[in-house]
Amino acid sequence: MTATAPTPSTARVRATALLPRLTLVLAALLTAFFAAAGPASAHAALTASDPTDGAVVATAPAQVTLTFSEGVAMNGDSIRVLDPQGKRIDTGELRDLCSGNTIQYGTALRPGLPDGTYTVAWQAISADSHPVSGAFTFSIGAPSETAFSLPSRTAGDGPVAIAYGIARYVAYAGFAVLVGGAAFILLCWRRGAAERPMQKLVVRAWVALTAATLVMLLLRNPYTGSGNFADAFDLTGLKAVLETKSGASLVSRLLLLGAAALFITVLFGSYARRHTSDAASDSPEEDVKAESDLVFGLGIGGTVVAGGIAATWALSEHASTGIQPGLAMPVDILHLLAVATWLGGLTALLVALHKVPGIERAAIRRFSTVAFTSVLVLACTGTYQAWRQVGSWSALTGTDYGRLLLIKIGLVGTVVAIAYTSRKWTSRLAGSEGAAEGEGAAETEAEAEGASDVSRETSTVTPVATAVPDSGASNPRRAAQLARQSAARRTAREKQARDADPGRSGLRRSVLAEAGVAVVLLAVTTILTSTEPGRAAELEAGRGSTATAVPDRAVKVTLPFDTGGQNGKGSVRLQLDPGRVGANTLHVWAETPDGKPLDLPELKVSFTLEAKEIGPLPVLPERAVPGHWSASGVQLPLAGDWRIDVTVRTSDIDQTTVQKNVKIG
């Protein structure tokens, strides 16, 4: 009797041994995931509005318009305008005012609106499927009290967003293991198709990807809308989701997963039976040809299905928007396939090393080659994606997307460095042919010894059974104790056989380290896909002009001030770009008399066109860094001689306002 496969007890012992390491990996994953968590970054930004935020207009406008940095999906309920009592006063009719590169939508207002402060709440879906929302106020005649408070929750935020993000991560992980595990079997270790641990790995990955896709489809409506879990079962909302690009992609993924199930059935069915020990054929040549044809069919079919599943991401997320989408989407598909082949194959190798001690050295060498090729493809496609999404060196360090990308690059470098160690262990294994033969003899001897041990156990137990008839039935506790002892001896022999090969043990450790870093890498990648690209973030920060704006016409003003208190002297520099009628971007820098940045407790700006009795139009620039404030979408409706008022506060009681007239238009 020989022990050809680990018993359930052995598997439990191994799982117990791996538990501390897997716990550390999970802790690293959660740290990486939630450290970067927060409100979902919007990929389409509101760059201008009419009326602008905080504006005071003399007469009621006929409509409210919103201008975005990129294409968005909106409906009749996407823009809501509320009066001071919180009642809706827009007509509910969405107006598409897009023209050329200008993305603008509006809604008409009811006539005869009284004076007071009105609230505009809006919500849309970016072209890359991510929700974006916001709210602002404007006043007619003069500001007033309002019963409506601005919403604290934005679209894509809250518990639903966390659940949706977890489902996204599970989907990415399931895709990587599903594709990488199948590729590892077909390209590196065909005998692995008949191994139970490999079958469980691939099937569980398919189940995880399918379940995560279903969860994302159900949560899509509350994720982009109300944020309530109960709306996941709203059939009207689900129907609306199915009509969007994201909904169509998720449904397509489910259909492709049905084809993937057929692929798995063939891989672990008829193909796996060819590699079982009892598979025999009277015509070896025909058997080889049949297997070659089956491998070819599985390879072609699996590549098509895997590429199709990868396309469901490429067609609905970052690659589908921005510059060069026709090239970016195929590159993104290739990038996803390379990641899956590398990281999923790495997971399959780790399972094989821990669960199937008999994996051939040739399979490990082949995976080393496959992984190296995948990394080369990953580097080429990743470089293009980084250029496309970041766009500049300043965005690489000055935006959330760029900083996450740097972390991802560092993690990839770490995995490659550990992989280099794995390749060295693989080379040692490949070069120890004599040791391999000696190991084979030792394993044979160990099996023989195991058989004799089992025989001795049997001979030891037999007298007991003779002395006490039906001892297993009458004394089940003793039988269970003997079974545990036998399992412990087998586990000790298997561990001794594994540890006797330092090359294989070293490879297992390095592959486990690779897999641990890969888990964190996948988490960062998932967060990266939910973050506004660096190119778009810089465009949002510097945008505000129309397509015909002239950059060199920016209005630049320097105003000295003295609040009268301690350290109350300094100057403010304003730059209004492009300095013309319409939307502008405002930058304000505060400096001490010696030119150093001055971080003021409060800074306000307003614009007044006295000739037309317009204004003051207040602007509350946001603090970017100490001493620098900025605001986008500053609307100047008419040309003329505008007065800029800057209010500076240097302490709780020290404040002053300085003015300057500038020509606009």
Side-chain angles (χ1 to χ4, degrees), residues 178 182 199 202-207 209-210 252-270 298 301-302 305-306 309:
L178 173 62
Q199 295 175 357
V202 174
V203 171
R204 287 171 179 172
W206 180 90
V207 172
L209 177 55
T210 304
S252 299
R253 190 182 304 168
L254 289 174
L255 295 175
L256 288 166
L257 284 169
L262 179 61
F263 169 86
I264 293 173
T265 301
V266 176
L267 179 64
F268 296 141
S270 58
L298 285 171
V305 173
I309 296 176

Side-chain angles (χ1 to χ4, degrees), residues 56 171 343 426 483 609 617:
V56 180
L343 300 185
T426 302
L609 183 60
L617 305 180

Side-chain angles (χ1 to χ4, degrees), residues 48 55 116 141 181 233 302 401 448 488 490 527 543 567 569 634 636 640:
F233 303 100
Y401 188 94
R490 285 195 299 271
I527 299 171
R543 191 161 174 155
N567 299 323
K569 292 184 178 182
V634 178
L636 300 179

Side-chain angles (χ1 to χ4, degrees), residues 447-458:
E447 289 182 357
E449 181 182 350
S452 62
D453 287 345
V454 173
S455 300
R456 286 194 296 271
E457 292 170 11
T458 305

Side-chain angles (χ1 to χ4, degrees), residues 555-559 561 570-576 585-592 595-600 603 621 624-630 646 648:
V555 174
K556 299 180 181 180
V557 176
T558 299
L559 300 173
F561 65 85
S571 63
V572 288
R573 291 188 296 112
L574 285 85
Q575 177 174 310
L576 191 66
T585 299
L586 175 66
H587 291 276
V588 183
W589 292 270
E591 298 175 345
T592 61
K596 296 181 180 180
L598 178 59
D599 199 11
L600 300 172
L603 184 143
V625 295
H628 179 204
W629 294 259
S630 66
V646 182
V648 176

Side-chain angles (χ1 to χ4, degrees), residues 61-256:
Q63 66 177 0
V64 170
T65 62
L66 307 178
T67 305
F68 296 91
S69 60
E70 66 175 45
V72 294
M74 306 187 79
N75 55 40
D77 200 45
S78 294
I79 304 176
R80 296 180 298 132
V81 184
L82 308 174
D83 66 9
Q85 288 73 41
K87 297 180 180 179
R88 188 168 178 176
I89 50 89
D90 61 278
T91 62
E93 177 186 357
L94 182 69
R95 295 181 176 181
D96 187 344
L97 306 175
C98 299
S99 175
N101 294 328
T102 302
I103 309 299
Q104 188 176 79
Y105 292 89
T107 184
L109 302 182
R110 296 172 184 170
L113 297 178
D115 291 352
T117 297
Y118 293 79
T119 302
V120 180
W122 57 271
Q123 183 169 313
I125 306 297
S126 300
D128 58 0
S129 79
H130 295 281
V132 55
S133 65
F136 63 90
T137 62
F138 70 92
S139 300
I140 300 175
S144 68
E145 295 292 332
T146 176
F148 182 81
S149 59
L150 296 179
S152 59
R153 192 194 71 84
T154 60
D157 191 13
V160 169
I162 295 176
Y164 192 86
I166 293 174
R168 283 171 58 86
Y169 177 82
V170 173
Y172 276 119
F175 172 75
V177 177
L178 173 62
V179 173
F184 178 80
I185 292 172
L186 290 176
L187 298 177
C188 307
W189 192 36
R190 295 182 180 179
R191 187 176 66 82
E195 296 293 342
R196 190 67 173 169
M198 305 303 296
Q199 295 175 357
K200 288 182 177 180
L201 177 70
V202 174
V203 171
R204 287 171 179 172
W206 180 90
V207 172
L209 177 55
T210 304
T213 303
L214 284 171
V215 170
M216 291 173 65
L217 184 61
L218 291 175
L219 291 181
R220 184 70 191 172
N221 179 41
Y223 171 63
T224 60
S226 65
N228 298 321
F229 280 104
D231 289 341
F233 303 100
D234 181 4
L235 296 182
T236 303
L238 181 60
K239 179 182 178 182
V241 168
L242 295 178
E243 295 174 352
T244 65
K245 182 172 63 174
S246 300
S249 296
L250 292 172
V251 172
S252 299
R253 190 182 304 168
L254 289 174
L255 295 175
L256 288 166

Side-chain angles (χ1 to χ4, degrees), residues 451-519:
S452 62
D453 287 345
V454 173
S455 300
R456 286 194 296 271
E457 292 170 11
T458 305
S459 63
T460 303
V461 177
T462 302
V464 177
T466 305
V468 183
D470 197 19
S471 59
S474 61
N475 192 0
R477 181 177 298 178
R478 176 58 178 165
Q481 181 182 7
L482 292 174
R484 288 194 298 270
Q485 292 175 352
S486 177
R489 282 194 292 270
R490 285 195 299 271
T491 300
R493 285 196 298 271
E494 291 174 2
K495 184 177 184 302
Q496 183 179 7
R498 292 198 306 271
D499 296 342
D501 186 351
R504 193 178 296 272
S505 299
L507 180 62
R508 279 200 305 271
R509 289 192 296 270
S510 63
V511 170
L512 180 62
E514 282 185 75
V517 179
V519 168

